[in-house]
Amino acid sequence: EEDDNNCPNRREMDAIIPADDDGSIYVLAHSAAGGQLVRYLLDQQKGTPLLSRIRCMAFTDSTHSIQWLKKHPHLSSMMQSSKALYVKTANPMRDDDWENASPGDECPRDHFWFHRFGDIKTVWAGTTEHSLSNWTAQKPIWDFFDKAADTKENSTAEDRNDSCAGRNGRDIVDSIGKSSEINRTIENSNNRKTGTHVGTEHVQCDASTKPFVI
């Protein structure tokens, strides 16, 4: 069996995207590069962490097909999720009213389109020139990337807040536990000194507050 690490395509890609880097990846794939990307991601099913690092993918006139992913539901779902955007160059011979649309406006999709690309959000590139699609659609592409970045930052902030809340909650529980132990110790000491049970009122406090007995 061929060693994946010795595969020329794998070595070239690892040189571009280091395997030991954990940063987020935002992909813009034009034309045949879209097909190559999907084929590469199929290869990544063998366990490398690249898929989990991809925040979003923008395809401009990509040549890929959702049919390639029939046996890979996770990847197929990703290609049709909010992480994926298809930017389409207009064909004057078969696309109606495209000239009245602005770059980034959603364009109609027919049965053929769903069969080929699935339920991916599809927008106009704002041109009929295949080679210009990245340029004319740069604003909706960057807006797409910015939205994905904002989503990641909000998610990271929520994770930090949840972590802090959990840590603070544990600190409060620990402090209450320590206070209760101190109060029980004082109560037991008073009982031993007087030989009778002394009524006590326990005050919950943090570790820096001195508990007292009435």
Side-chain angles (χ1 to χ4, degrees):
E1 184 178 355
E2 184 180 10
D3 185 355
D4 288 339
N5 293 324
N6 292 327
C7 175
N9 290 339
R10 174 66 62 80
R11 291 198 303 271
E12 292 170 4
M13 186 61 72
D14 287 345
I16 299 172
I17 308 174
D20 58 351
D21 188 359
D22 60 356
S24 297
I25 299 173
Y26 300 78
V27 181
L28 172 59
H30 176 66
S31 193
Q36 293 293 333
L37 171 66
V38 174
R39 292 291 189 188
Y40 180 76
L41 292 178
L42 279 171
D43 183 54
Q44 294 296 304
Q45 298 289 312
K46 297 180 179 179
T48 58
L50 179 63
L51 277 174
S52 63
R53 293 167 53 194
I54 293 179
R55 298 303 308 171
C56 62
M57 299 171 289
F59 297 95
T60 53
D61 287 347
S62 174
T63 60
H64 74 275
S65 173
I66 199 71
Q67 300 302 317
W68 300 346
L69 310 177
K70 285 182 176 180
K71 296 182 180 179
H72 303 275
H74 172 69
L75 190 53
S76 176
S77 177
M78 182 180 182
M79 291 293 174
Q80 301 174 80
S81 71
S82 59
K83 289 186 174 183
L85 176 71
Y86 195 104
V87 180
K88 180 180 183 293
T89 294
N91 185 327
M93 302 298 293
R94 64 169 182 260
D95 291 327
D96 297 329
D97 205 34
W98 68 268
E99 64 273 12
N100 294 322
S102 299
D105 287 351
E106 290 198 42
C107 62
R109 299 170 294 174
D110 55 18
H111 175 74
F112 167 80
W113 193 264
F114 281 103
H115 178 76
R116 174 69 187 274
F117 299 107
D119 190 18
I120 185 173
K121 182 178 180 180
T122 306
V123 301
W124 292 116
T127 182
T128 59
E129 295 292 333
H130 172 73
S131 60
L132 296 179
S133 57
N134 282 3
W135 172 255
T136 57
Q138 57 181 296
K139 185 181 186 306
I141 291 171
W142 281 112
D143 288 346
F144 177 62
F145 287 166
D146 287 342
K147 183 178 180 180
D150 290 343
T151 301
K152 179 179 185 297
E153 290 177 1
N154 291 337
S155 177
T156 301
E158 289 176 0
D159 290 344
R160 284 198 299 265
N161 290 337
D162 290 344
S163 177
C164 290
R167 185 170 62 252
N168 291 339
R170 289 192 298 273
D171 291 343
I172 292 172
V173 171
D174 290 343
S175 297
I176 292 174
K178 291 177 181 177
S179 298
S180 297
E181 291 178 3
I182 293 172
N183 285 331
R184 283 196 299 272
T185 300
I186 294 175
E187 178 183 355
N188 292 336
S189 176
N190 289 337
N191 289 342
R192 284 195 298 273
K193 289 179 180 179
T194 62
T196 60
H197 178 75
V198 178
T200 60
E201 179 178 337
H202 298 287
V203 179
Q204 294 195 359
C205 54
D206 60 30
S208 63
T209 303
K210 182 179 179 180
F212 60 95
V213 179
I214 296 177

